[in-house]
Amino acid sequence: EKWAATHPKYPPTSLALQHFDATYSVQLGKMWPSVRVALLSERKYGALLNNFSHDAVLADLQEKGCRDFINDADTEAQPCLEQVSEEESGDVPVKKSDSDGQQLSPPQLSPNIPQLSPNIKCVVFPRGDITRFKPARPDTYRLLGYYLLDAASVLPCLALNVQEGHNVLDLCAAPGGKTLALLQTQAIRFLCVNDTSVSRTLRLRKVLQSYVPKEFLTDENIRITSFDGTRWGDIERNSFDRALVDVPCTTDRHSLMEDDNNIFSKTRTGERRRLPQVQLALLLAGIEATCPGGEIMYSTCTLSQIQNLSVVEQAIHLAREKHGIHLEVVDLQPFTHMFRKTFHFAPDLHLGGNNSSRVKVSCIFCGH
Amino acid sequence: SLVDMGFTDTQAEQIYEAVCKVRGGSTAKHALSTLAALFVLGLSPSSVLKLLQKCPQLYTVKESQLQQRIENLRKLGLVESLQRVVAYYPQILTVPMKTVKTVVVFLREKCLFTVQQVTDILRDSPAIVLEDLGQLEYKFQPQYVYFRMGVKQAEMVKSRLFRFTLEDVRCRHCFLERRGLYQTPDKKGQTTIANPILDSILSANQDTFLTAVAKASPEEYEVFQRLIAREWQGQEYGIIEADSD
Ligand SMILES: C[S@@+](CC[C@H](N)C(=O)[O-])C[C@H]1O[C@@H](n2cnc3c(N)ncnc32)[C@H](O)[C@@H]1O
C-alpha cells in the first residue's frame, strides 16, 4: 500500500515503541496503556521560576491560572507511615553512612518527610489544563524569568534535600535544568557542574548565563567541567554533601517522538545496550564522591526497571563489596505522596536481596 | 385543494402559511406539485407536513426537477427505502442530480465501494450528498479508515461510517492506537494484536466506548481530545496526502 511505502520500514521511534510495549506492558500491567498515551502525546511543562530575575513572574503566571505545585504540596503525613520501620527511615534515595554502617541522619528532619527548599518554585497549569507557556522574556538585566522543563524534573532536585552550606555535585548536568533548580535553593556553598559532552556543556553555560547573575557564577561558587563522570571517584573522593546523578538513559519520551538522534536507531544499539553499565559506573562515582553521611540522588527519565531499580541495587551491592561503603536506601513514598495531586508515580518498587528497605527510584513520569 | 389531498383544516392552514413565507413568484404552483410527488412516494399527510416543516425549500423545487431527482435516487437503488430516506432526510431532494452523481462517482471510483455499498451508504447516511466534496471531510474519511485503520469497504458500510465526522473517527482511533489497542495492519493485513471492530469503536456512546473498548477514564479521554485537536491544528492531513490524487 502507498501508506506503508511513505514510511521507512522501522524508524527508531517505532523500534522504541515495540521495545517499550514488550517490557512495560509486563512491568506496568494495566497502567501501561495510560502511560503509553501520555508518552505519545504532548508533554506537560512546568515553569521553574528564576529567583534571580527581577520581574514579578510568579504573580504574572498565577494570574494566568498557574499554581506552584511545590508550595501547594500536601505536607500532611500519609496514612501508611506505619509500614515503615525505624531502620528504614530516611529522606532521600541513597544515604551514605560510615563504613561501619552507623547512621547519620540529620536530627532536625521529621522522619521520611524531606524538607522542601522554600526557594524552588515551579508552576504548572492545573490538572487537565493544556495551556502552553510562552517563552520566557528577559528582564532589564537580561535574565530570563523562568525555565521550561518537564515538571517532574524538579522532583529529584527537591528530594536531594540540599541544606545551607552544602557542597553539591551535579555529575551529568547538561543542558542544566536541574542545575538551575539546585541554584534556586541559594543554599549551596559550592556547586560542581559536570557533563562529559563538550557541546552540551557549552549549552549549559549559556543557560546559566541567561538565568544567573555573574556574581553567583564565580570560581568560588561554581565549577563547570566536561569530564567523564564515571571517573569521578578517582578525582575527588568523599568531598560532597550531596550528589545528583542524572544519568543518560533511553529517554523514553524523546525516543518515541523524534527519529533524529534516537538511541533506538540501529547504529546506536551498542550504546543503548551499554547504558545500564554506564549508569552503574556513574552512580558508583557519585557515591564515591560523596562524603559519609551525605546523600545521593539517582534519577533517569525512563521507566525501565533495568535502568532504575537494577542499577541502584547493583550500586549498593558493589559499593559495599568493593569500596566498603554502606548505603541506606530511602523510601520516597512520603515524598511522592506530597505531590500526588500533580503527578502520577510509578507503582511501588521493591529492592530485592537482603536489603529490607524500599526505594522509589525517581523515574517519575508526568501524566496529563 | 389541500383538504381533498387528505390534510385536516389546521394542517392545510399551516401549509398555506409556510408557502407564503417562502419567497419566489411561482412557489404556490411548485408547492402543489411537490405535495403530489411526496404523496406518490406513499407518505401520509402528517409525515408530509412534518418533512416540509423540516425542509421548506422543497416547496420551491420545480416539478420536473423533483421527478428527475426521485427517479435518479430510484436508479441508485433506493426503491423501498426511498420513502423512509425522504422522510428522515428531505434535504436529499433539494440537491441537484449532478451533485449526487459526483458523490456517487467519488464513492465508486475513488473509494472503491460497490454499487450495492453505495446504495447502502445513501440509505444510511443520505447527508453525504450535501457535503461539498472539495472539503476534506468526506474526501478523506474512507481513505483514513482504509489506509490508517485497515478497514475494508464492507465494514465501513456496516458501521455507517459516514454518520460520523472524520474528527470523531480519528480521535477515537488515535486514542486506541496510542493506548496500544489498535494497530495499522501491515502489507499482508496482519497485526500483532486483535483490533476492535470499527462498529464497536464508532457506534458506542462515549461512556461505553471508554469502558468497553478503550478501558480509560473520561478525564483521560477528555484531555486527550483537547491535546490531539491542538496537535492536528498544526498539521495537514499529512498521513494520507500521498493518496489524495
Ligand atoms: C539526562 S541528561 C542530563 C540532564 C540534566 N541533568 C538537566 O536536568 O538538564 C544526561 C547527560 O549525561 C551526559 N553524560 C553521558 N555520559 C556521561 C558521562 N560518562 N559522564 C558525565 N556525563 C555524561 C550526557 O551528555 C547528558 O547531557
Short mmCIF file of all heavy atoms in Angstrom, two decimals, chain A residues 204-226:
data_model
loop_
_atom_site.label_atom_id
_atom_site.label_comp_id
_atom_site.label_asym_id
_atom_site.label_seq_id
_atom_site.Cartn_x
_atom_site.Cartn_y
_atom_site.Cartn_z
N LEU A 204 24.95 24.42 28.46
CA LEU A 204 24.69 24.63 29.88
C LEU A 204 25.23 25.98 30.36
O LEU A 204 24.55 26.72 31.08
CB LEU A 204 25.33 23.49 30.68
CG LEU A 204 25.18 23.51 32.20
CD1 LEU A 204 25.02 22.11 32.72
CD2 LEU A 204 26.36 24.16 32.89
N ARG A 205 26.43 26.34 29.88
CA ARG A 205 26.99 27.65 30.25
C ARG A 205 26.08 28.77 29.80
O ARG A 205 25.83 29.74 30.51
CB ARG A 205 28.36 27.84 29.61
CG ARG A 205 29.49 27.16 30.32
CD ARG A 205 30.82 27.45 29.61
NE ARG A 205 31.87 26.59 30.13
CZ ARG A 205 32.55 26.87 31.25
NH1 ARG A 205 32.32 27.98 31.93
NH2 ARG A 205 33.47 26.03 31.69
N LYS A 206 25.57 28.63 28.57
CA LYS A 206 24.67 29.66 28.04
C LYS A 206 23.40 29.75 28.89
O LYS A 206 22.91 30.85 29.18
CB LYS A 206 24.28 29.32 26.59
CG LYS A 206 25.41 29.46 25.61
CD LYS A 206 24.94 30.17 24.32
CE LYS A 206 26.10 30.36 23.36
NZ LYS A 206 26.48 29.10 22.68
N VAL A 207 22.88 28.59 29.27
CA VAL A 207 21.67 28.58 30.10
C VAL A 207 21.95 29.32 31.41
O VAL A 207 21.19 30.21 31.82
CB VAL A 207 21.21 27.13 30.38
CG1 VAL A 207 20.16 27.10 31.49
CG2 VAL A 207 20.65 26.50 29.12
N LEU A 208 23.06 28.96 32.04
CA LEU A 208 23.38 29.60 33.32
C LEU A 208 23.51 31.11 33.15
O LEU A 208 23.02 31.89 33.98
CB LEU A 208 24.64 29.01 33.93
CG LEU A 208 24.53 27.55 34.41
CD1 LEU A 208 25.82 27.10 35.08
CD2 LEU A 208 23.36 27.37 35.37
N GLN A 209 24.16 31.52 32.05
CA GLN A 209 24.34 32.96 31.83
C GLN A 209 23.00 33.69 31.63
O GLN A 209 22.88 34.86 31.97
CB GLN A 209 25.23 33.21 30.62
CG GLN A 209 26.72 33.10 30.97
CD GLN A 209 27.57 32.81 29.75
OE1 GLN A 209 27.11 32.99 28.62
NE2 GLN A 209 28.80 32.36 29.97
N SER A 210 22.01 32.97 31.07
CA SER A 210 20.73 33.64 30.85
C SER A 210 19.84 33.66 32.09
O SER A 210 18.78 34.26 32.07
CB SER A 210 19.93 32.97 29.74
OG SER A 210 20.72 32.29 28.85
N TYR A 211 20.27 32.96 33.13
CA TYR A 211 19.40 32.90 34.31
C TYR A 211 20.05 33.39 35.61
O TYR A 211 19.37 33.78 36.54
CB TYR A 211 18.90 31.46 34.53
CG TYR A 211 17.85 31.05 33.53
CD1 TYR A 211 18.20 30.52 32.29
CD2 TYR A 211 16.50 31.23 33.81
CE1 TYR A 211 17.23 30.16 31.37
CE2 TYR A 211 15.52 30.88 32.90
CZ TYR A 211 15.89 30.35 31.68
OH TYR A 211 14.93 30.00 30.77
N VAL A 212 21.39 33.31 35.66
CA VAL A 212 22.04 33.58 36.94
C VAL A 212 22.99 34.77 36.80
O VAL A 212 23.79 34.82 35.86
CB VAL A 212 22.82 32.33 37.41
CG1 VAL A 212 23.39 32.54 38.80
CG2 VAL A 212 21.92 31.10 37.39
N PRO A 213 22.90 35.74 37.71
CA PRO A 213 23.80 36.90 37.64
C PRO A 213 25.26 36.45 37.78
O PRO A 213 25.55 35.47 38.46
CB PRO A 213 23.40 37.74 38.86
CG PRO A 213 22.07 37.24 39.28
CD PRO A 213 21.96 35.82 38.84
N LYS A 214 26.14 37.23 37.13
CA LYS A 214 27.58 36.88 37.11
C LYS A 214 28.15 36.63 38.51
O LYS A 214 28.95 35.74 38.71
CB LYS A 214 28.36 38.02 36.45
CG LYS A 214 28.34 37.98 34.95
CD LYS A 214 29.51 38.82 34.40
CE LYS A 214 29.38 39.01 32.91
NZ LYS A 214 28.31 39.99 32.56
N GLU A 215 27.73 37.46 39.46
CA GLU A 215 28.35 37.35 40.79
C GLU A 215 28.08 36.01 41.47
O GLU A 215 28.75 35.65 42.43
CB GLU A 215 27.94 38.52 41.69
CG GLU A 215 26.45 38.69 41.91
CD GLU A 215 25.79 39.66 40.92
OE1 GLU A 215 26.26 39.72 39.75
OE2 GLU A 215 24.81 40.32 41.30
N PHE A 216 27.10 35.26 40.96
CA PHE A 216 26.85 33.93 41.53
C PHE A 216 27.58 32.84 40.74
O PHE A 216 27.48 31.68 41.07
CB PHE A 216 25.35 33.62 41.54
CG PHE A 216 24.58 34.46 42.51
CD1 PHE A 216 24.04 35.68 42.14
CD2 PHE A 216 24.40 34.03 43.83
CE1 PHE A 216 23.34 36.45 43.04
CE2 PHE A 216 23.70 34.79 44.73
CZ PHE A 216 23.16 36.02 44.34
N LEU A 217 28.25 33.26 39.68
CA LEU A 217 28.91 32.27 38.84
C LEU A 217 30.42 32.41 38.89
O LEU A 217 31.12 32.17 37.92
CB LEU A 217 28.42 32.41 37.38
CG LEU A 217 26.93 32.15 37.14
CD1 LEU A 217 26.56 32.42 35.68
CD2 LEU A 217 26.56 30.71 37.51
N THR A 218 30.94 32.79 40.04
CA THR A 218 32.39 32.96 40.16
C THR A 218 33.05 31.62 40.48
O THR A 218 32.37 30.66 40.82
CB THR A 218 32.72 33.94 41.30
OG1 THR A 218 32.24 33.35 42.52
CG2 THR A 218 32.05 35.28 41.10
N ASP A 219 34.38 31.62 40.38
CA ASP A 219 35.11 30.38 40.67
C ASP A 219 34.93 29.93 42.11
O ASP A 219 35.16 28.78 42.45
CB ASP A 219 36.61 30.60 40.40
CG ASP A 219 36.86 30.81 38.91
OD1 ASP A 219 35.93 30.49 38.13
OD2 ASP A 219 37.94 31.28 38.53
N GLU A 220 34.55 30.86 42.98
CA GLU A 220 34.34 30.47 44.38
C GLU A 220 33.03 29.73 44.58
O GLU A 220 32.86 29.00 45.54
CB GLU A 220 34.32 31.71 45.30
CG GLU A 220 35.68 32.25 45.65
CD GLU A 220 36.14 33.28 44.61
OE1 GLU A 220 35.46 34.32 44.51
OE2 GLU A 220 37.12 33.02 43.89
N ASN A 221 32.08 29.96 43.65
CA ASN A 221 30.76 29.34 43.81
C ASN A 221 30.56 28.08 43.00
O ASN A 221 29.83 27.19 43.40
CB ASN A 221 29.65 30.29 43.33
CG ASN A 221 29.72 31.62 44.00
OD1 ASN A 221 29.87 31.68 45.21
ND2 ASN A 221 29.64 32.69 43.23
N ILE A 222 31.19 28.09 41.84
CA ILE A 222 30.79 27.08 40.88
C ILE A 222 31.96 26.66 40.01
O ILE A 222 32.87 27.47 39.73
CB ILE A 222 29.62 27.63 40.00
CG1 ILE A 222 28.93 26.51 39.23
CG2 ILE A 222 30.06 28.74 39.09
CD1 ILE A 222 27.58 26.95 38.67
N ARG A 223 31.97 25.39 39.61
CA ARG A 223 32.99 24.92 38.70
C ARG A 223 32.30 24.09 37.63
O ARG A 223 31.52 23.19 37.94
CB ARG A 223 34.00 24.06 39.46
CG ARG A 223 35.23 23.68 38.66
CD ARG A 223 36.23 22.89 39.50
NE ARG A 223 35.76 21.55 39.73
CZ ARG A 223 36.06 20.83 40.81
NH1 ARG A 223 36.78 21.35 41.79
NH2 ARG A 223 35.61 19.59 40.93
N ILE A 224 32.56 24.43 36.39
CA ILE A 224 31.92 23.70 35.29
C ILE A 224 32.97 22.91 34.53
O ILE A 224 33.97 23.48 34.07
CB ILE A 224 31.20 24.69 34.34
CG1 ILE A 224 30.17 25.50 35.13
CG2 ILE A 224 30.50 23.93 33.22
CD1 ILE A 224 29.56 26.66 34.36
N THR A 225 32.76 21.61 34.41
CA THR A 225 33.76 20.77 33.75
C THR A 225 33.10 19.84 32.73
O THR A 225 31.89 19.67 32.73
CB THR A 225 34.49 19.89 34.78
OG1 THR A 225 33.51 19.20 35.56
CG2 THR A 225 35.37 20.70 35.68
N SER A 226 33.95 19.26 31.88
CA SER A 226 33.46 18.28 30.89
C SER A 226 34.25 16.98 31.00
O SER A 226 34.84 16.51 30.04
CB SER A 226 33.60 18.83 29.48
OG SER A 226 32.75 19.92 29.30
#
